[in-house]
Each structure stands twice: as C-alpha cells, then as structure tokens.
Amino acid sequence: MSQNMNIMIVGVGGQGTLLTSRILGNLAIAQGYDVKVSEVHGMSQRGGSVVTYVKYGEKVYSPVISEGEADIILAFETLEAFRYIGYLKKDGKILINTQQIDPMPVITGAVRYPEGIIEKIKATGARVFEVDALAAAARAGNAKAVNVVMLGVLAAQTDIDKDKWLAAVEQTVPPKFLELNKKAFELGYSL
Amino acid sequence: MKKLMLGNEAVARGAYEAGVGVVSSYPGTPSTEITQEIAKYDEVYSEWAPNEKVALEVAIGASMVGVRAMSCMKHVGLNVAADPLFTASYTGVGGGLVVCVADDQGMHSSQNEQDSRLVAISSKVPMLEPSDSEECKEYVKQAFVLSEKYDTPMLIRLSTRVSHSQSLVEVGERKEHVPKDYVRDMAKNVMMPAMAMKRHHYVEKRLDDMRALAEDCPFNTVEKNSDKVGVICGGIAYQYAKEVFPDASFLKLGMINPMPSELILDFAKGVEKVYVIEELEPVIENHCKVLGIDVIGKSILPNIGEFSVAQIKKAVDGGETEKFTVSEAVPGRPPVMCAGCPHRSTFYVLKKLGLIISGDIGCYTLGALPPSSAMDFCVCMGASVGMAHGIEKARGREFGKKVVAVIGDSTFIHSGITGLIDIVYNKGNSTVIILDNSITGMTGHQDNPTTGYTIKGEPTKAVDLVLLCKACGIDRIVVADPFDLKGFEEVVREETAAVEPSVIIAQRPCILLKSAQMYPARVITDDCKNCKMCMRLGCPAISEKDGRPTIDATLCVGCGLCVRVCKFGAIRQDDSNLKRLAQGKE
Ligand SMILES: Cc1ncc(C[n+]2csc(CCOP(=O)(O)OP(=O)(O)O)c2C)c(N)n1
C-alpha cells in the first residue's frame, strides 16, 4: 500500500463511533501497519454530531483527516453523511445507514430535516452505498448494534479476510456484548 | 509488543513506568483519562481532588517528601492551580513532580482556548510537548528524571488531538522509585521573602542551565531534507506540518520552555525560507523573531482554533483540495441533555418562571441551548454563585429576587462554596440551586466528594450538602426533586421571594447512573391533541413523525417528564417495552 488509508466514521453521540474506530484500529495493527485513531470525548458525545478518524499505512502523521481526504466514510446517520460529504476523496466511497435521527433544531421546529439527502449526495457524483443497518441491527437483537452492522458491510467490500475482521471485533468488544456484535457483523457482511 | 494507546493512556503508562507514587487530579476534558488510567494501577495512589489547586498541592506535598508525584488537568484547570504552581517553581522538588496540562485548541469541550505554553513561560517551569502517544509515554518518563536533576516541577503540554488520538506505544516495565530520607530544608521549602528571594535567583540560574540543555537534548530534533524550506514546530502541529511539507527540513521542538537559540539560528541558516507552524499563540515565532530570524507564521495562519492539513496547505501555497460540495445548509446537531436527564426539568421550571440565570459549567450548561434557552451567564467553574451575589449588590434586592445561580454538585465543591460564604458574610439574599445528580457528569462520570465513592470505587464519607450549607450560615435549605415539576416550581418561587439567602438542592441522579431507576418507555396514545407541549421539553426521544409527536422507544428511558407536562393524559407506559428493558438491564 503506497498511500495511507483514511477512514472516517460519522454519526450521532451514543451510536458507537468510538468502538467502531477502535475495531478498525486493531484490524489495521494486525495487518502490521502504523495506525492512528482520533476520537472525541466530552461535550459532543451528548447526542451531538460525532466524528472519529482511522488512518493507517506505512507511516501516519496527522491523526485527523482533512476535507477531500477520506477514502471511506462510514455514516451511521443520514444527516451526518450530508454534513461530512466534503471530506470524501473524489474516488472515495461513502456507506450510509438510511436511519434518520432528528437533531434538536428539527425537534423544536426551528429547521426541517432535509429531504432526499441520499439523492442529493449521489448527484454530487460521490460513490454511495445505502444500507438499512437499523433493521439489520434489530434482527441481530439490538437496535444499538448499527455500528457493527455497518462494519460488516464495509468488511464485505474489502479484500481483508473475514476472520481477521472477526478477530478485531473479538479483541475490542467487551465479552458481554460479543455474541450480539458478531451476529450484527455477520448480518452486515451478508447484506 | 506495540500497543494502540490514547495519548492520555500513554501519559499514565509513562508515569507508571517511572515509578510515580502519588497522582492527584481534577477531571477536565481532554485530560481526564490520564488519571482514570492511573487508577487501574494498584502500585500508585491516585485520587480525584475537589479542584485543581488542591490536586497540585497534594502532588507537591508528596514530592516534598521524596515521592514521584503527578497532577493532571485541563488548560483552565491550570489557572486554578496557578498559585501553587508559580511558587512550587521556586521550591523545586524532592521526588520528581510532573504537571500535565491538556489544551483544547478548537474548544471541543471548553469555555476558552488559552495557550498553556505561556503559563510555562511566566511560571518559569520547563515544559515538554509530545506529538503522539509514544512521545507521551517517553516524555513523561524523562520529565520525572529532569525534574529531579534540575530541581524543578515539569509541565507536560497535551492537546485534544494528542490526548484523544491513539497511536502505537512500546510498553515497558515499572521501575520503582525509592525516596531519599526526608530532611527538613526550610531555605528551600518554606517560601517567605528572604528564602524566596534566594530561590528566585536559583530559578533564573536553572532556566539558564536548561537553555543549555535545550541546545542539545533528545526532545529537540533536526530532520535535514530540502534546503529551500525549513519548518519549526512542536506538538500536534508537527504531525500536520509533516503532511503539508513532505520534503522540507524540520526542527521539532519537544521542549517548549526554555527554547534553544543556537539550534534555531543554525537551522534557519541552512534553509532559504522558515515557517513556524503552531496553533494558538505565536510562542515559537516570537522567540525566533527575538533571535532576528525572519519566519513566516501568524502572518498566514490564525491564532484561533485548531489547524487542519488542508488549511495549512491553503495558507502556504493557496492550494485548494478537490471535494464534493452540497449547496444546501445542513442543520446543526448540537449536543443535548440525555433523555431522562434531571437537568431538563430544572430548566423547564426556570424558563417558565422567567428568571435571570447565573449559570455554571457542567452538563447543565446545555440549558443555554434551545429549546430551554434558559441561561444568562456562564464564565468559569464556581462563578455562578459569586456572580449572582454581584448582580444583587449591583442592582438591588428586588432585582436580585429574579436571579438564581445554578451549579452542579462537583462544581459547587470545586469552587462554589467560597461564593456561598461570600453571600452569607456580606448579607446577600441570592438563591443558589445545586443540581445534585450524584456524579461529575460532563467529563464522563467521575466520583466526587459528594458521591460517597473514591476514584477506585471504594466507599468513603460523602460530603453532606445540607450540613455544609448550614455551616456556611444558610438557614433556608430545601431538598427538592426536579422531576416533581409542580413541587419544584413552588420551591423556586418561595426561595427567590425570600429576603434571605437560600439553597435549593435539586436532587435526582444522572440517568446514566446504574442506580438511576428505569421505568418502561412511554408511548403517545390516540388521546393526543397534537398540542406539541411534550416537544417543547427538548427531549431527544420525542420527535415529530407524520405531523404528530412520537416517542422513540430505543431512546426513551421512561423518566415520565412528558407524562407530567401532557395536559390530556395522552402519554402512557408502553408495556410492550417491559421485556426489552428487562433484557437491557441485566
Ligand atoms: C477549572 C475547570 N476544571 C475542570 C473543568 C471541566 N469540567 C467542566 S464541567 C465539570 C464538572 C461538572 O460536574 P457537575 O458540576 O457535577 O455537573 P454535571 O455535569 O454532573 O451536571 C468539569 C470537571 C472546567 N471547565 N474548568
């Protein structure tokens, strides 16, 4: 791999972006790469817009991804995909969970949730994959497993062995939630 | 073996390996995880102190008797701890003393963006600045050694992106530090004018010695590449700059105070053009300018916010990165109080009463955002109380009756108590509402002196807020449950009307605590008249679907606040959720 791989995970506080980026980080280490994972803690976790970055390759400097630099964006929520589409590389791809979570300005009626976001993103020319991760997560047994369903979808599109992905999930997820997460991963993988 | 570690985790590891014996801190994003990680090591005594001043004093005490000690805080915390820091700079140390301070460029989670490098310079305390997790670990270990060698506290400057990024770290073994026998040394440790004057001379000499060290030390490194462009930088800015200038020569300053001169002059001579890339204040740049070097820095890059690679690229050569753009404005997603948060009902009542709200810092600062939008002021931790008193004294008693101070339990202990004493002593009449949610919420659930548990989760004595306020001289103290909307409103009305100072303890545990009760989720029935009263609560679980309010069962925790504001009794318990909850609770 001559160039670094830049993956961005965007979503809403509480959707498990942090865990997802840690799984990806462990996966990249297992491949022998230099890795940096940038997280968010504090204020924005309280239901705000949350973004984490995973970068790996021969040598990684900045832990943060700039606009136009992401090879892959995993968007756990549709409005967040819209917000961060400017970070996608011209030849990158974005995986979007079709779930919509109203932000407070929409709940209070100050603004409307934009319509047809996915079509608008497609119209920019970006490569888009739509996923109903919420339904799959519910089938796995918990609507909160959206993050690992999305990871499964991503895994199926890479040439990294599924076993290695599962090993990274096992390494990162607390044992109590492992079964649920494995199931969610498998469902995502076969979507 | 190399391990992926947060910068903060690596700082903790470095201190552990260096044989640190005592760590006392007060939480603050982005520094909090350092001490949380330390607490996992049983060889180290660790604690949450009531505030940063106490935390640093605990560490100074430990250091004075020969034990390696550390204190960690966020940038504004260092203001609180500035008093002991500036004089500990004079006394120097016994065992190594390291103070970690995490700046928050970009204000991800802070009320200002100050640059702690300037505190290092003005307190004359040497400062190291790591740029990734491996350096975090190494620099902290080295800081303990330098602290003892040069008889000085050492500052470690972190920042959000260093503290909260994971990168690879080579983990080592702990080496126990054996303290020397304690001997009283008043000339060094009792700072009265005559002794302190001598120590001031020592401090200046120490800085000279360390300047010599800065010229040739492993922290300040030169990477010789192109002779066209040279970049001087340190900390996280180094990582950004390496991506912007792949072919340039670099002078990376890991020691930011004191800075070398010869090394910089030499480096600058070897290149045609010198950039200084640093976030916030022009600290390195000013040093270069004093040396007579013509550097490019703040003339092209701001002293506000955090940098990005794209931003630096653009500033340097005008290059724009190609990107996808959408023409439409994307609605913001500000942070919100959690579903079931007890602060929501407190602010619902305060808003209804139209009071002037002297706010403070914690999860409840979110009460300033819509839909409650119920806050007039918020400056720093503890300020709400003194400010409410100042407002009353400035505008008179009648005006004062419209004012309340709201302050969290951790924040009250941190620095609200002294404000309350001022109110009593100087015959004020303010009403102070202590939002007692039994935890330090904002920074991610740390125990504090009111919770009854230590950092290790061991039971301990809890400060009794009622007795404490009584002892300060407050006679009117009411404990009230903010979920009881009617009762709570009545209490606030009564206490603000009283011509006497009063404290209302709004008691209801943070919904994220395991001990907080969970009821089955709620559901909106056909009795709904679509008045949207429930939506005005600003609960993230309630939103509009097909023109009507709906409750998202995955977000609802069943606090029942919406049930209480619904005039039509249209919101009920959703029994179909009982099973899901039972499962989720195990
Ligand atoms: C001097 C200083 N230290 C630390 C912080 C970080 N900080 C912000 S709010 C807070 C504590 C909030 O706890 P509490 O007052 O109990 O309110 P809660 O968040 O639980 O509602 C802390 C530690 C700060 N802003 N300033």
Side-chain angles (χ1 to χ4, degrees):
Chain A
M1 195 169 72
S2 60
Q3 277 224 315
N4 285 348
M5 187 68 168
N6 293 342
I7 306 177
M8 231 170 121
I9 303 155
V10 304
V12 178
Q15 276 194 305
T17 52
L18 217 117
L19 181 79
T20 314
S21 54
R22 289 184 169 196
I23 296 174
L24 282 166
N26 281 329
L27 178 74
I29 302 190
Q31 318 285 302
Y33 290 122
D34 186 25
V35 186
K36 283 190 179 165
V37 178
S38 182
E39 312 187 337
V40 275
H41 302 219
M43 192 72 145
S44 48
Q45 278 184 297
R46 301 267 173 271
S49 168
V50 170
V51 44
T52 59
Y53 311 96
V54 181
K55 295 175 72 166
Y56 60 91
E58 295 306 322
K59 171 81 191 154
V60 179
Y61 288 104
S62 166
V64 180
I65 298 169
S66 287
E67 286 189 314
E69 276 189 354
D71 296 286
I72 294 167
I73 297 180
L74 280 184
F76 291 172
E77 198 274 347
T78 309
L79 184 62
E80 297 312 307
F82 207 28
R83 188 184 320 284
Y84 290 105
I85 188 65
Y87 282 76
L88 193 65
K89 233 183 221 168
K90 277 289 167 172
D91 57 356
K93 65 178 169 191
I94 179 164
L95 277 56
I96 307 176
N97 175 20
T98 51
Q99 185 180 1
Q100 299 193 351
I101 302 173
D102 286 351
M104 198 47 69
V106 170
I107 292 179
T108 60
V111 289
R112 293 192 71 82
Y113 196 104
E115 306 218 333
I117 289 179
I118 292 181
E119 281 59 47
K120 285 173 191 161
I121 294 178
K122 281 181 179 163
T124 65
R127 267 207 296 162
V128 176
F129 294 84
E130 290 173 62
V131 187
D132 186 350
L134 184 62
R139 264 187 288 142
N142 191 327
K144 293 204 166 147
V146 157
N147 56 346
V148 182
V149 172
M150 292 295 285
L151 208 62
V153 176
L154 175 65
Q157 299 189 11
T158 62
D159 40 25
I160 302 170
D161 280 358
K162 189 173 155 192
D163 289 349
K164 292 191 175 142
W165 281 90
L166 280 168
V169 171
E170 225 158 284
Q171 192 189 340
T172 324
V173 171
K176 203 164 80 170
F177 300 112
L178 190 59
E179 267 323 295
L180 166 73
N181 280 293
K182 273 184 165 168
K183 208 164 157 194
F185 179 87
E186 291 286 354
L187 281 168
Y189 197 86
S190 54
L191 269 183
Chain B
M1 195 202 122
K2 290 205 167 185
K3 240 189 105 184
L4 205 51
M5 271 191 181
L6 276 182
N8 281 347
E9 212 178 328
V11 167
R13 184 72 204 180
Y16 170 77
E17 289 178 12
V20 74
V22 170
V23 178
S24 179
S25 306
Y26 183 73
T29 316
S31 71
T32 312
E33 299 80 9
I34 302 171
T35 310
Q36 276 172 337
E37 288 298 322
I38 286 278
K40 294 178 186 164
Y41 297 116
D42 283 332
E43 298 94 323
V44 185
Y45 170 78
S46 58
E47 64 169 35
W48 289 127
N51 66 33
E52 293 86 352
K53 180 175 183 290
V54 176
L56 180 52
E57 288 156 354
V58 170
I60 292 171
S63 160
M64 292 265 185
V65 293
V67 171
R68 287 190 167 179
M70 185 164 83
S71 184
C72 309
M73 57 202 67
K74 67 185 293 173
H75 58 326
V76 285
L78 193 58
N79 300 341
V80 178
D83 204 9
L85 178 74
F86 275 64
T87 303
S89 174
Y90 279 30
T91 62
V93 304
L97 175 62
V98 174
V99 181
C100 297
V101 54
D103 284 4
D104 189 17
Q105 296 96 309
M107 286 188 272
H108 296 271
S109 235
S110 304
Q111 69 267 34
N112 78 17
E113 257 195 313
Q114 70 195 42
D115 189 330
S116 296
R117 295 177 302 170
L118 296 171
V119 181
I121 292 169
S122 56
S123 65
K124 303 181 189 253
V125 175
M127 175 181 258
L128 305 180
E129 184 175 15
S131 72
D132 63 19
S133 300
E134 179 66 40
E135 286 181 5
C136 282
K137 197 198 88 171
E138 246 351 89
Y139 283 23
V140 168
K141 280 175 87 168
Q142 289 302 318
F144 280 104
V145 176
L146 291 178
S147 170
E148 284 158 11
K149 184 164 174 206
Y150 288 88
D151 190 13
T152 179
M154 290 290 297
L155 279 159
I156 298 281
R157 185 202 189 206
L158 304 160
S159 59
T160 297
R161 297 299 182 186
V162 170
S163 285
H164 287 169
S165 292
Q166 299 191 59
S167 59
L168 295 171
V169 177
E170 188 75 52
V171 176
E173 295 297 313
R174 174 172 168 97
K175 210 167 147 267
E176 288 300 337
H177 171 77
V178 185
K180 290 199 197 94
D181 284 343
Y182 173 69
V183 190
R184 179 189 278 172
D185 185 351
M186 287 204 275
K188 177 166 148 52
N189 293 334
V190 180
M191 287 299 90
M192 309 162 63
M195 287 97 140
M197 187 54 88
K198 290 202 184 100
R199 290 302 294 179
H200 190 182
H201 284 276
Y202 172 74
V203 168
E204 297 305 329
K205 179 182 168 299
R206 176 179 77 201
L207 271 179
D208 284 341
D209 291 348
M210 292 197 80
R211 268 184 207 108
L213 171 76
E215 300 292 351
D216 182 19
C217 69
F219 309 108
N220 298 335
T221 50
V222 173
E223 299 167 28
K224 200 81 193 113
N225 292 309
S226 143
D227 52 12
K228 296 254 175 334
V229 177
V231 180
I232 307 177
C233 55
I236 190 64
Y238 166 80
Q239 307 292 1
Y240 301 151
K242 282 298 280 184
E243 290 195 4
V244 177
F245 304 94
D247 306 317
S249 292
F250 272 79
L251 171 55
K252 178 175 176 294
L253 296 178
M255 192 191 289
I256 214 69
N257 186 46
M259 272 183 272
S261 298
E262 292 304 319
L263 185 64
I264 294 178
L265 283 163
D266 245 25
F267 176 79
K269 253 184 249 150
V271 289
E272 284 172 26
K273 200 169 171 183
V274 184
Y275 288 97
V276 171
I277 307 293
E278 58 188 327
E279 289 170 326
L280 301 183
E281 298 308 310
V283 175
I284 302 174
E285 181 173 345
N286 288 349
H287 180 71
C288 290
K289 286 187 171 156
V290 169
L291 295 173
I293 307 167
D294 189 20
V295 299
I296 307 165
K298 294 298 168 189
S299 58
I300 60 165
L301 282 159
N303 65 350
I304 299 174
E306 67 173 349
F307 290 169
S308 73
V309 170
Q311 176 192 19
I312 303 172
K313 262 187 196 147
K314 192 171 170 197
V316 168
D317 63 12
E320 290 274 3
T321 328
E322 253 198 298
K323 61 179 190 199
F324 296 106
T325 45
V326 287
S327 50
E328 196 173 329
V330 180
R333 190 185 298 275
V336 289
M337 289 175 194
C338 306
C341 175
H343 300 328
R344 175 171 292 104
S345 41
T346 304
F347 280 94
Y348 179 80
V349 170
L350 296 181
K351 180 186 174 144
K352 187 171 169 200
L353 297 179
L355 295 163
I356 293 175
I357 297 163
S358 181
D360 220 302
I361 305 199
C363 286
Y364 50 93
T365 317
L366 294 171
L369 300 184
S372 62
S373 309
M375 193 166 290
D376 293 79
F377 317 105
C378 172
V379 177
C380 67
M381 286 188 79
S384 61
V385 185
M387 284 177 68
H389 181 58
I391 291 165
E392 188 206 339
K393 291 297 176 187
R395 298 294 289 264
R397 186 162 285 187
E398 280 313 302
F399 192 94
K401 282 185 182 169
K402 290 183 294 200
V403 182
V404 288
V406 287
I407 183 166
D409 47 290
S410 184
T411 304
F412 180 69
I413 297 289
H414 178 280
S415 47
I417 302 169
T418 38
L420 190 68
I421 292 173
D422 191 38
I423 291 173
V424 175
Y425 171 51
N426 288 305
K427 304 181 177 182
N429 298 288
S430 300
T431 302
V432 175
I433 305 181
I434 301 174
L435 307 173
D436 180 11
N437 62 354
S438 313
I439 203 76
T440 314
M442 184 83 268
T443 42
H445 274 206
Q446 293 74 33
D447 277 292
N448 69 48
T450 70
T451 66
Y453 292 93
T454 67
I455 192 170
K456 295 250 191 199
E458 292 157 2
T460 182
K461 255 198 171 156
V463 168
D464 184 325
L465 286 173
V466 173
L467 286 179
L468 177 65
C469 295
K470 207 167 234 145
C472 291
I474 301 281
D475 293 325
R476 298 182 72 100
I477 304 165
V478 190
V479 180
D481 179 0
F483 273 9
D484 170 16
L485 285 175
K486 275 207 190 98
F488 191 73
E489 182 181 329
E490 203 40 51
V491 167
V492 177
R493 273 184 202 283
E494 266 174 38
E495 296 312 310
T496 46
V499 268
E500 233 188 298
S502 57
V503 169
I504 301 169
I505 300 173
Q507 210 164 56
R508 168 63 65 168
C510 169
I511 194 71
L512 302 180
L513 282 172
K514 282 204 189 81
S515 58
Q517 275 180 301
M518 296 254 287
Y519 313 93
R522 310 291 156 157
V523 63
I524 297 176
T525 63
D526 291 343
D527 296 337
C528 172
K529 301 277 183 292
N530 213 6
C531 72
K532 305 224 166 72
M533 192 64 191
C534 54
M535 295 196 61
R536 273 184 240 159
L537 289 169
C539 175
I542 310 178
S543 62
E544 196 174 306
K545 293 269 139 66
D546 306 321
R548 301 183 80 80
T550 345
I551 296 176
D552 181 336
T554 62
L555 294 175
C556 178
V557 295
C559 74
L561 190 63
C562 53
V563 176
R564 258 157 273 154
V565 299
C566 179
K567 293 199 180 76
F568 306 101
I571 307 179
R572 300 223 183 87
Q573 186 167 300
D574 180 5
D575 292 328
S576 70
N577 269 296
L578 281 171
K579 209 168 126 231
R580 183 183 69 82
L581 276 160
Q583 283 164 353
K585 249 182 168 171
E586 53 175 28

